[in-house]
Amino acid sequence: TDLAISKLAQQRLKAWFDQPQHMLIDEESIKLSPSEVFAASEYQWVLDPIDGTAGYALGRQLYGISLGVCHRGKPILGAIYLPAQRLLVVADEVKAWRVDDPFTPQAQQEDLQCRVLDIHSQIFVESYFGTIRRWNETAPGKFWHNTPESAVQGFASALTGQAAGATLARIYSFWDVAAAAAIAQRAGYIIRSLVDARPLEVFGPTDFATNWKLAEPWLLCASENFSVLSAALKE
């Protein structure tokens, strides 16, 4: 299924856009380095055909398709689709919105608005390969459990107001964050480095280590929550 989605995307891209100004960065087939891609293309289409492949293969619901478009490294368009949950989160250069049941006549669409949470009473819980990590455990109130099997699931939860933030850890790659970065900017969220708090506005070759993995961790959240979340994560 991964390969079939990738093949379809490549076919559509070649039919609709001039080559090589538009290049598809496909997790399943890309062989070029970040430096080679950014030097050779003006637009980078970043596709993860199935994020959460293991969950998909096992019949679980926590998987998604992520597609982002960057212009010279700047995220300008993003879409995250969760087929099993029938949820689409998308953004263009003007706004971001969510669509429930997007392929039905009764589809419900609403603009995405940044939802500021009380981080002291609504605690975000995230899992890494089955290990749950918490912070501020002594705080009263409700825990916001978010144990995604894929990055797309975590980003969709944060962007639709179900969680206070989603950590973009070192293990994450360009395919995990390109769509989320575009959506976050239009929805009023921020993506900032946990190293020096700089905002993520443009991807460049130096932002990646090997195999298109991010060279440092980033945090996606409402701007009001960044200081307390970043401090907690650093602890």
Side-chain angles (χ1 to χ4, degrees):
T1 306
D2 259 328
L3 295 175
I5 295 173
S6 298
K7 183 178 179 180
L8 176 62
Q10 289 281 11
Q11 291 173 343
R12 295 290 175 84
L13 190 67
K14 290 179 180 178
W16 293 345
F17 297 99
D18 293 333
Q19 309 295 317
Q21 289 87 354
H22 292 260
M23 182 178 294
L24 181 66
I25 312 302
D26 177 355
E27 186 179 20
E28 302 304 319
S29 61
I30 187 68
K31 304 297 183 183
L32 301 176
S33 69
S35 296
E36 292 170 327
V37 166
F38 284 103
S41 60
E42 184 173 357
Y43 291 90
Q44 300 83 37
W45 292 69
V46 189
L47 173 69
D48 190 343
I50 301 180
D51 184 19
T53 311
Y56 169 77
L58 292 170
R60 299 173 182 166
Q61 294 192 1
L62 302 184
Y63 65 92
I65 300 169
S66 178
L67 178 64
V69 184
C70 296
H71 180 230
R72 297 176 178 172
K74 180 181 179 181
I76 60 172
L77 180 73
I80 293 172
Y81 179 47
L82 307 176
Q85 299 182 40
R86 296 183 295 186
L87 172 65
L88 174 67
V89 183
V90 64
D92 58 21
E93 292 189 83
V94 178
K95 67 174 184 177
W97 62 96
R98 62 174 289 169
V99 185
D100 295 294
D101 294 323
F103 300 110
T104 65
Q106 299 80 23
Q108 298 294 314
Q109 177 177 314
E110 62 178 285
D111 292 349
L112 278 184
Q113 301 293 330
C114 183
R115 179 179 178 183
V116 181
L117 302 181
D118 179 1
I119 196 63
H120 297 292
S121 62
Q122 297 169 323
I123 311 300
F124 176 69
V125 182
E126 188 172 11
S127 76
Y128 289 94
F129 305 103
T131 301
I132 293 181
R133 178 180 64 184
R134 302 181 180 183
W135 58 78
N136 203 9
E137 292 192 28
T138 58
K142 181 179 181 180
F143 280 86
W144 283 72
H145 291 276
N146 179 26
T147 55
E149 296 180 30
S150 70
V152 165
Q153 172 69 24
F155 299 152
S157 295
L159 291 166
T160 54
Q162 299 176 42
T167 304
L168 314 189
R170 291 183 187 278
I171 60 171
Y172 284 2
S173 64
F174 196 17
W175 305 287
D176 293 317
V177 300
I183 296 171
Q185 291 175 14
R186 278 64 178 179
Y189 288 76
I190 59 167
I191 297 184
R192 289 187 179 273
S193 168
L194 286 175
V195 175
D196 58 13
R198 75 183 188 279
L200 176 60
E201 296 176 341
V202 179
F203 286 105
T206 58
D207 292 317
F208 305 95
T210 58
N211 193 30
W212 288 91
K213 301 295 183 182
L214 294 180
E216 62 184 270
W218 300 79
L219 182 66
L220 163 67
C221 64
S223 59
E224 292 82 356
N225 292 337
F226 179 78
S227 59
V228 65
L229 284 172
S230 60
L233 286 169
K234 290 177 182 178
E235 292 176 359

